[in-house]
Amino acid sequence: MSLSHPKYWPSWFVVGLVYGLGRLPFPLIWALGTGVGRLTYLLAGSRRLVGRRNLEICLPEATPRERERILRAQFGWLGVAAFCQGVGWGASRARLARVVKVRNRERIDGYIAEGRPVIVLVPHFVGLELGGAAFTALVHSGVYMYQRIRNPVVDRQVRRARQQYGSVSIERHDDLRGLVREMKKGTPFFYLPDQDGGRRGLFVPFCGVAASTVPMLGRFAAMTGAVVIPTFARFLSWGRGLELIFDPPLEHFPSGDRTADTLRMNQIIEARIQTMPDQYFWVHRRFKTRPPGEAPIYPPKRRRR
């Protein structure tokens, strides 16, 4: 079926709306996104419960009032992330350079200049999408793993936006040899590590709780000889833009012990959470898969009738 079919007209309207919002001045995007996000906090009951539970687990030292403040702020930043989705859709490099401040890029530029394989370790902080667009536009094109979006109109637009500055997508279920070849050419690999790994994941502590984690970071680094550079996207308050921060590359990694390597990855994410707890993606069911015999952490989802 052609994407011009009337069935897809609502989707094209949404794509056009997102694109139009992305053309607004960034402080206005911040204000609109924050307002709508805070309203969503009141309406998104199940996601609010998931976020609250994650914060109880991961920030036990905080008081209930502090955790609730973080959760409210989290929904505000989620709104900002949603409203600025279209900023990177067709944006010029000049505009992205005005909106996004790249910090410590000398930590990655030398490796790219040498043609050294690089893994850009990018955890799920809410500025991830805009940070990725800025990376490909201002630093270097990259390779990333992509999972198709069910709506073909949205899928087409998101894929085009991510590839507009030369990035390469690898289907999540494709043969990994294509990814390895691309990395060995010197194309940085965007690796998003911190989602529930299901039954195939390795149970290692995350914020002190066993979490099913995909133990692939050390394997990718070993297969390609890549250096791993933790990278974080952080929105600035009052619509001042976003920071893309490169932390120092990991030393003595991989160690050859996949459990130790996966634990080290989680500890890096935990350390950054402490510096900007309201911008981590708390509404994800990070602890959905439990070790055998352990009780569920989250209440069961309500089934739609």
Side-chain angles (χ1 to χ4, degrees):
M1 183 185 299
S2 170
L3 295 184
S4 62
H5 190 277
K7 171 184 176 180
Y8 295 119
W9 289 357
S11 299
W12 282 115
F13 173 78
V14 171
V15 167
L17 179 62
V18 172
Y19 184 90
L21 288 170
R23 309 279 77 76
L24 295 174
F26 200 82
L28 181 56
I29 292 174
W30 172 83
L32 292 171
T34 300
V36 172
R38 294 293 181 106
L39 177 62
T40 303
Y41 166 86
L42 301 174
L43 303 175
S46 61
R47 287 294 179 181
R48 188 172 67 243
L49 291 175
V50 169
R52 192 172 287 152
R53 187 74 179 105
N54 282 335
L55 285 165
E56 289 174 356
I57 293 168
C58 296
L59 298 179
E61 71 283 359
T63 66
R65 185 173 181 177
E66 289 171 336
R67 291 196 294 265
E68 201 64 19
R69 180 193 59 77
I70 291 170
L71 186 59
R72 287 177 182 271
Q74 154 92 143
F75 273 87
W77 289 121
L78 287 171
V80 173
F83 271 65
C84 75
Q85 180 75 31
V87 172
W89 292 7
S92 66
R93 284 186 168 91
R95 187 182 188 211
L96 286 171
R98 289 194 300 271
V99 171
V100 180
K101 288 78 174 173
V102 181
R103 307 297 189 198
N104 309 323
R105 65 174 295 168
E106 69 278 359
R107 290 173 172 164
I108 192 171
D109 280 347
Y111 293 111
I112 292 176
E114 293 171 6
R116 172 87 178 266
V118 173
I119 297 174
V120 184
L121 182 66
V122 194
H124 281 82
F125 288 85
V126 294
L128 171 65
E129 192 72 25
L130 181 56
F135 184 99
T136 59
L138 306 176
V139 180
H140 199 281
S141 58
V143 59
Y144 62 94
M145 300 183 79
Y146 184 78
Q147 184 168 341
R148 286 183 182 273
I149 299 171
R150 290 184 181 180
N151 186 310
V153 172
V154 178
D155 182 81
R156 174 180 178 272
Q157 179 58 46
V158 170
R159 191 184 290 261
R160 286 184 63 185
R162 290 181 178 178
Q163 294 176 350
Q164 64 184 323
Y165 292 111
S167 288
V168 178
S169 66
I170 303 289
E171 288 286 344
R172 190 172 292 275
H173 301 294
D174 281 356
D175 191 328
L176 290 179
R177 285 178 293 186
L179 171 62
V180 171
R181 282 195 299 269
E182 197 65 40
M183 290 176 66
K184 287 186 175 180
K185 289 184 203 174
T187 306
F189 169 42
F190 285 78
Y191 183 56
L192 285 62
D194 49 333
Q195 291 185 310
D196 183 90
R199 288 298 168 196
R200 295 185 178 182
L202 182 69
F203 285 101
V204 294
F206 181 65
C207 296
V209 178
S212 176
T213 309
V214 179
M216 288 298 294
L217 180 62
R219 183 181 173 190
F220 282 134
M223 284 192 298
T224 60
V227 61
V228 178
I229 301 179
T231 305
F232 303 93
R234 176 169 61 193
F235 280 117
L236 300 172
S237 59
W238 301 104
R240 292 180 292 121
L242 180 133
E243 289 183 321
L244 185 64
I245 306 166
F246 296 108
D247 275 1
L250 301 190
E251 297 181 351
H252 311 298
F253 189 92
S255 68
D257 182 331
R258 71 173 191 156
T259 300
D261 290 342
T262 307
L263 175 60
R264 186 176 178 189
M265 178 186 76
N266 282 355
Q267 289 171 338
I268 289 167
I269 300 168
E270 291 174 33
R272 180 56 74 170
I273 286 173
Q274 294 297 322
T275 70
M276 47 177 178
D278 53 344
Q279 294 197 37
Y280 189 65
F281 196 65
W282 294 117
V283 295
H284 168 62
R285 291 174 175 255
R286 181 64 185 87
F287 304 99
K288 178 174 65 174
T289 304
R290 305 306 306 134
E294 289 199 12
I297 281 179
Y298 308 109
K301 288 185 177 180
R302 292 181 180 178
R303 293 184 178 180
R304 295 180 179 178
R305 294 182 180 178

